[in-house]
Amino acid sequence: MKKAMLMAVAILFSTATVFAAHTPNALSDTTKTKKVKPAKVQYTCPMHPDVLSDKPGKCPKCGMTLVKKEPAKKKTDSMKMKM
Ligand SMILES: [Zn+2]
């Protein structure tokens, strides 16, 4: 009884260790490679440029899959007009 419990804990622990070891590894990997994009990626609808999302999804207006919109220039977002 006690042994089985210990086994379960050991398995859980090793799984957690693998997970913990995996996450920082992936993080440092992205830091090492210069492919990392520091810029904020936004997703927009090809048909509705006014639809912007910070994560992939569907356009709320037409249901199309949002495409990645990479900022061409470093520009402050002042798209919104002052009302
Ligand atoms: Zn749309």
Side-chain angles (χ1 to χ4, degrees), residues 45-48 51 59-64 66:
C45 172
M47 306 301 287
H48 303 97
V51 173
C59 172
K61 290 185 184 176
C62 65
M64 267 182 86
L66 300 180

Side-chain angles (χ1 to χ4, degrees), residues 10-57:
I11 288 165
L12 267 173
F13 202 76
S14 58
T15 314
T17 313
V18 167
F19 242 92
H22 213 80
T23 314
N25 203 1
L27 270 173
S28 63
D29 226 40
T30 25
T31 324
K32 263 182 207 168
T33 37
K34 272 195 172 177
K35 264 190 175 178
V36 65
K37 284 169 197 162
K40 191 169 83 180
V41 178
Q42 283 193 306
Y43 293 83
T44 184
C45 172
M47 306 301 287
H48 303 97
D50 55 312
V51 173
L52 282 172
S53 176
D54 56 351
K55 50 184 178 281

